[in-house]
């Protein structure tokens, strides 16, 4: 008798903890396109101009000690640091030193919407236990043409 009561209590407990799960399946079709194509041509851009940014730096003891001498042909002031990072769908990868010089591009072309690096030149002069480097990057600025119909 005790076993029958124990089995009934166990069945009642287990059946009360069960959940009902309803699953319905319907055929649907996707209304989103498989791909989106945007035709952009060079005639859709206005060329604003190009700017050259530069960094002159020294490194000693195999790169352990680094010193920036000039940014954009001006003596570098460690108290006044301006840094610019180009972001977007495809970021322009600039070294941290060159990010300190990139503000010149935005200052000259503030209404540009698109930037391209056209050349990247590095001149390194080897010294005893160090080096002196001049790096210049040329960046071109473009703007989208806006046509209202």
């Amino acid at each position: 008798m005790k076993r029958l009561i124990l089995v009934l209590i166990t069945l009642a407990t287990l059946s009360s903890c069960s959940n009902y799960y309803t699953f319905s399946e319907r055929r649907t079709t996707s209304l989103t396109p498989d791909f989106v194509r945007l035709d952009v041509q060079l005639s859709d851009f206005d060329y604003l101009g190009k700017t050259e940014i530069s960094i002159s730096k020294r490194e000693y003891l195999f790169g352990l000690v680094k010193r920036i001498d000039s940014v954009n042909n001006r003596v570098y002031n460690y108290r006044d640091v301006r840094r610019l990072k180009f972001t977007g769908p495809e970021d322009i990868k600039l070294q941290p030193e060159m990010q300190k010089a990139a503000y010149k591009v935005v200052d000259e072309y503030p209404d540009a919407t698109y930037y391209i690096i056209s050349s990247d030149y590095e001149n390194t002069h080897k010294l005893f236990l160090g080096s002196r480097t001049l790096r210049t990057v040329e960046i071109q600025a473009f703007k989208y043409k806006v046509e209202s119909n």
Side-chain angles (χ1 to χ4, degrees):
M1 187 67 170
K2 288 183 179 180
R3 286 190 180 192
L4 181 62
I5 294 174
L6 186 60
V7 170
L8 289 176
I9 291 174
T10 305
L11 287 175
T13 305
L14 291 177
S15 67
S16 66
C17 294
S18 68
N19 292 332
Y20 288 105
Y21 180 70
T22 305
F23 178 73
S24 62
E25 184 176 345
R26 294 197 168 82
R27 289 184 152 195
T28 60
T29 182
S30 175
L31 299 176
T32 59
D34 292 339
F35 66 96
V36 177
R37 182 175 168 175
L38 177 64
D39 290 325
V40 179
Q41 299 170 356
L42 193 56
S43 61
D44 296 333
F45 295 99
D46 284 330
Y47 176 70
L48 299 177
K50 62 183 174 181
T51 300
E52 184 177 279
I53 59 175
S54 64
I55 289 284
S56 175
K57 65 180 180 176
R58 292 178 284 167
E59 294 181 1
Y60 297 106
L61 298 175
F62 307 107
L64 294 175
V65 178
K66 297 179 182 181
R67 174 148 176 90
I68 298 175
D69 294 326
S70 67
V71 174
N72 294 329
N73 298 324
R74 291 185 177 178
V75 177
Y76 183 65
N77 184 0
Y78 282 91
R79 294 181 183 184
D80 183 25
V81 177
R82 297 170 70 184
R83 186 174 288 223
L84 177 69
K85 185 175 181 181
F86 291 108
T87 59
E90 192 69 32
D91 296 342
I92 296 176
K93 306 289 187 211
L94 290 176
Q95 291 183 346
E97 294 92 12
M98 295 309 291
Q99 289 178 0
K100 294 176 183 178
Y103 70 88
K104 182 179 176 185
V105 177
V106 177
D107 286 349
E108 289 186 12
Y109 305 107
D111 55 343
T113 55
Y114 192 70
Y115 299 99
I116 295 176
I117 294 179
S118 59
S119 69
D120 189 351
Y121 175 74
E122 183 173 315
N123 183 7
T124 303
H125 181 73
K126 297 290 183 182
L127 304 171
F128 179 71
L129 293 177
S131 64
R132 184 174 38 212
T133 303
L134 173 65
R135 184 167 190 161
T136 59
V137 174
E138 191 173 271
I139 300 177
Q140 296 179 352
F142 295 90
K143 181 180 179 179
Y144 290 124
K145 287 183 184 178
V146 179
E147 295 181 14
S148 58
N149 292 333

